[in-house]
Amino acid sequence: MPDTSTWDALPHRLPDWFRDAPLGIFIHWGPYSVPAWAEPTAELGAIESDLGWFAHNPYAEWYFNTIRIEGSPAAEHHRQVHGDAPYDDFLDQWETTAFDPAAWADLFRRAGADYVVPTTKHHDGVTLWDAPGTGDRNTVRRGPKRDLVGEIASAVTEAGLRFGVYYSGGLDWHVRPTEPLVSGEDVNDRCRPRDDEYGKYCSAHVRDLIDRYQPDVFWNDIGWPDENFHFGQGGLGELLEHFYTQRPEGLINDRFAGAHQDFVTTEYQAGEIPEGQPWENCRGVGLSFGYNQVEDAAQYMSAAQAVRHVVDAVSKGGRVLLNVGPRADGSLHELQVAALEGLGEFMAEHKVHLAGSRGLGELRLKGVEWARAVEKDGTCHVFLSGDAGEITVAAQDLPTGFAWPEVGRTVTLAGEENAPVAVSAPAADSAPTAG
């Protein structure tokens, strides 16, 4: 990378809106939503080695790659069901007859989200708007015949939410085709395009997204072409400068191969929570980001699990970008909707305690399976989950410096299939007794 001082001069931002946003919504939607198939194996990070991960990839949005791995279950499925049809056939078959962006945005708002980040180009290279240089390989010219990015952006903004864009800068299996990717080394190093020409192609896309849709989050994936790490015309540096100039409250993630970042991302169980840095965990309601017709209740999070996941991240200083994968027609799976609806019921009461809070982390409490704590405006909020019934929580086991009852308190747990219950107490020097 050239002149590091130039990169260091770029802004580093954590705008108030993001600091106070415990929840965002991710959307993975593309031609892969037509076959909608992946082997539901395990969460990313739950398997120590990536050996065999790509042949058994649970991410339906990776269908283009997985079906090219000889012997993979996806390749066999594709052969039997789709007769080895070219991937781009799914773009032409993609119809969005049930797509209601206003209904999506309303659901996301009711779930307690503050921002929404749809995929604008995933690794298959298909853009969900009429991106420059894509010819007819986009959703405006083929398939849906719609500017899906624009429709989502308008609906999200009208619902009072922040809009962001996901863009795959690191991979494009159409513009820069490769052999099937079968390892992490393939993805992040050996097969990743590095040339400046491809970087300028990506830069033109993202600049167009910025100018058309005014996103407040630029969420890149799988790095960026190394030769495009410059501040010349069409370079990544110039692009980031343009983004910050146009979007004063905008911020970017950390997936630029170390060039620049405003916050760190983890994915499912993969990645380390950074010390003293803002961070975000992304994951699907199920095992896949793109819709996977194979998944059912065994893979989908319940509402209670979604609540615990959000509270856990906030208690550790982070936030969650929770993904929905629409069906090809634009409808959302009933279990995805149920998880968001249940999450919304909890957030309607407790988002005020989570937004802008200071994470106090995990607690070990007798008789409680799961406990997390945050502090907001001088009050400690402890969230508890476990087998239904009454328990007595000892004051000495709770965070210090707050006015908990000296002899402990009785709490009625709702059971692990329900959202955690909360107990609160003000700072010890602000009130004589617990709230």
Side-chain angles (χ1 to χ4, degrees):
M1 185 187 303
D3 191 4
T4 57
S5 64
T6 308
W7 290 94
D8 291 342
L10 288 169
H12 288 275
R13 293 181 178 166
L14 188 64
D16 289 344
W17 75 262
F18 191 73
R19 190 189 310 275
D20 294 343
L23 176 66
I25 299 294
F26 222 178
I27 305 169
H28 277 62
W29 199 26
Y32 47 79
S33 305
V34 175
W37 198 94
E39 187 182 2
T41 48
E43 292 187 6
L44 182 68
I47 300 173
E48 291 186 9
S49 171
D50 70 8
L51 185 64
W53 167 267
F54 289 88
H56 302 276
N57 197 331
Y59 288 179
E61 68 276 12
W62 276 68
Y63 192 78
F64 191 153
N65 184 72
T66 316
I67 60 175
R68 297 186 300 131
I69 300 175
E70 189 61 36
S72 71
E76 181 61 26
H77 168 84
H78 187 65
R79 187 172 299 115
Q80 291 184 0
V81 177
H82 301 289
D84 282 330
Y87 179 83
D88 276 25
D89 282 7
F90 299 126
L91 173 57
D92 295 317
Q93 296 166 16
W94 184 10
E95 298 181 358
T96 56
T97 53
F99 176 40
D100 184 345
W104 280 14
D106 183 61
L107 173 63
F108 303 154
R109 178 189 58 78
R110 288 185 285 109
D114 288 287
Y115 60 109
V116 177
V117 182
T119 50
T120 64
K121 185 197 81 154
H122 205 263
H123 314 325
D124 60 10
V126 175
T127 62
L128 276 63
W129 87 106
D130 191 8
T134 57
D136 69 350
R137 200 171 182 270
N138 59 66
T139 62
V140 175
R141 304 296 179 181
R142 290 166 63 181
K145 301 289 181 68
R146 299 170 75 164
D147 177 359
L148 300 177
V149 176
E151 292 188 48
I152 296 170
S154 295
V156 163
T157 302
E158 289 173 10
L161 307 177
R162 299 274 179 165
F163 177 70
V165 292
Y166 166 105
Y167 184 86
S168 174
L171 294 174
D172 190 316
W173 298 321
H174 177 74
V175 173
R176 290 293 182 270
T178 69
E179 294 297 312
L181 307 179
V182 297
S183 71
E185 182 181 5
D186 284 350
V187 173
N188 297 302
D189 186 18
R190 192 173 67 85
C191 298
R192 180 173 59 82
R194 302 174 184 274
D195 61 289
D196 189 47
E197 180 184 8
Y198 172 63
K200 288 179 176 177
Y201 174 82
C202 295
S203 182
H205 282 184
V206 176
R207 179 177 280 264
D208 193 51
L209 289 169
I210 294 165
D211 294 343
R212 287 201 203 195
Y213 309 116
Q214 297 82 52
D216 284 320
V217 180
F218 175 14
W219 213 103
N220 185 59
D221 203 9
I222 317 287
W224 195 267
D226 303 53
E227 294 178 10
N228 193 244
F229 280 45
H230 61 77
F231 282 79
Q233 185 175 1
L236 176 61
E238 181 197 51
L239 176 65
L240 298 188
E241 286 179 331
H242 181 69
F243 174 69
Y244 284 126
T245 299
Q246 297 300 312
R247 306 306 299 159
E249 293 192 313
L251 72 170
I252 71 169
N253 70 342
D254 62 337
R255 301 192 180 195
F256 288 91
H260 184 74
Q261 68 186 50
D262 292 313
F263 65 96
V264 175
T265 59
T266 64
E267 186 169 328
Y268 284 89
Q269 298 182 40
E272 298 293 329
I273 295 175
E275 186 72 30
Q277 297 183 62
W279 65 279
E280 169 196 82
N281 175 259
C282 68
R283 64 154 295 152
V285 177
L287 299 181
S288 175
F289 287 98
Y291 173 63
N292 183 5
Q293 61 176 302
V294 178
E295 291 187 334
D296 56 24
Q299 288 80 37
Y300 281 123
M301 302 174 85
S302 67
Q305 289 171 325
V307 168
R308 284 194 290 269
H309 189 69
V310 172
V311 174
D312 178 67
V314 175
S315 78
K316 297 170 183 175
R319 57 201 47 78
V320 171
L321 188 62
L322 186 61
N323 181 84
V324 294
R327 299 183 181 96
D329 66 4
S331 62
L332 295 175
H333 191 284
E334 294 73 15
L335 291 175
Q336 294 185 38
V337 173
L340 293 186
E341 294 278 14
L343 178 56
E345 292 178 9
F346 176 87
M347 294 290 273
E349 180 177 358
H350 295 292
K351 181 180 176 181
V352 66
H353 305 140
L354 298 175
S357 64
R358 178 173 64 94
L360 300 178
E362 299 183 25
L363 303 180
R364 303 292 183 183
L365 304 177
K366 184 177 180 180
V368 178
E369 296 293 328
W370 184 96
R372 304 289 187 272
V374 301
E375 183 269 332
K376 174 77 176 288
D377 296 334
T379 297
C380 180
H381 304 280
V382 177
F383 299 91
L384 308 167
S385 180
D387 293 339
E390 288 190 350
I391 63 164
T392 299
V393 179
Q396 63 264 29
D397 294 332
L398 294 166
T400 59
F402 299 94
W404 306 105
E406 292 183 4
V407 295
R409 63 185 305 157
T410 299
V411 178
T412 301
L413 299 182
E416 292 186 4
E417 293 306 310
N418 295 286
V421 299
V423 295
S424 304
D429 59 359
S430 65
T433 58

